[in-house]
Amino acid sequence: MDIVDSHVHLYPGAEAESLAWCTEGHPLHSQHSVEDYLEATKDLKTVYSHKLRGFIFVETDRKSHVESETGWKEPLRELDWIRRVVDGKPRSGEGHTSQHAQLCLGVVLWAPLPSGPDVMQRYLDRVEDRAGSMFSLVKGFRYLVQDKPHGTMLDGNFIGSLRWMGQSGFAFDLGVDTRSGGIWQLEEAAAMIEKAHDGVPTYQKVKIVINHMCKPDMRSRDYDGNPARELFAAWKTQLTRLASFPNVYMKVSGAFSEMDPLPHEDEQGKWRSKVRDDLVERTRSWSGNWVREVFSIFGPQRVLWGSDWPVLNLGGGGNRASWMNWWAVVDGFVKDNLDKEDQARFWSDNALGAYGCTR
């Protein structure tokens, strides 16, 4: 089975200081490049005989602002970095080689959506100039709204940028946070999509690719140990509304950040140990509550597999274990609930289709 990871963040150690969220001393304040990623995923082939076809690179929330073009410096520097990966031309010590050049199947960059479509076009011109021959791999843009105030997604310029993206053939990666931000973010996201799609021909409605199942609260429990009913029901209601719009996809990704952290790999030994297998089984049983609803609401044609590496390392058991832990958790659910055709859609075809990847 081919596997396409729809949500991967990569950065060289020399540029870790440019990340808005990753100050010195943070567990991820070090190089996380292609070689590190392949080390984390190697059991996919050696143990399970599956093939990692490639990944979608998603911007890493570098320091930026939308007030002027000076705020584009670090996102454009990130573009230079992923271009070196795609071109197979690393700088010394960056952790990738020419052999890794074909792994990147698509790129989702940062963009100043709050500035409106005219500025977006200006930004795109800069991106096209910097991207050179890899510009065809730029499939979408992301501007994280999970930490932004009420109304950000409904501003006229923001809506105008989304309409421009639809007309220009780019997807929008939507990052909202139910657990830390609140259910209102999902409500506002649905209103945003309605405005962005209103009166627009179907073929020009912007594709929305939602990150991490909207980051539900997977830690809260009721007295009986089941997911907190009120929170779970509210999340399901808003997912149903989001799924009612065309061209909206959901990534099953990033869940370790919303769950109780798994024991670190050093406490567990090798991944194939019985202790680890038992741990994965318990995690699968718990996370299945949410994964099942995602498939039920969006259908197997609009759900994408993604890891959120290396962010999932924080709660998923560490760098050597977390990717395979999450893959194994989801794989068990998928085998039990999807036929072979839908499994292929989930693991690779949906990601390639959502982003229009042809590589």
Side-chain angles (χ1 to χ4, degrees), residues 237-255:
T237 296
Q238 294 308 316
L239 252 64
T240 301
R241 187 179 176 202
L242 289 167
S244 70
F245 299 103
N247 291 354
V248 178
Y249 299 79
M250 179 66 79
K251 293 182 182 181
V252 171
S253 58

Side-chain angles (χ1 to χ4, degrees), residues 10 12 15 18 57-60 62 72-87 91 104 106-110 123-141:
L10 301 169
E15 298 180 16
S18 71
F57 171 83
V58 178
E59 64 92 19
T60 56
R62 295 203 181 197
W72 304 353
K73 176 183 176 182
E74 292 300 339
L76 290 173
R77 187 183 177 200
E78 179 169 65
L79 170 58
D80 295 339
W81 144 251
I82 196 60
R83 179 180 177 180
R84 294 196 297 275
V85 173
V86 170
D87 287 347
R91 292 175 179 170
C104 183
V107 174
V108 176
L109 299 172
W110 176 91
Y123 179 72
L124 181 67
D125 292 340
R126 293 283 298 278
V127 166
E128 186 171 8
D129 181 62
R130 296 279 280 264
S133 60
M134 68 145 282
F135 180 69
S136 62
L137 291 183
V138 178
K139 301 301 183 181
F141 296 100

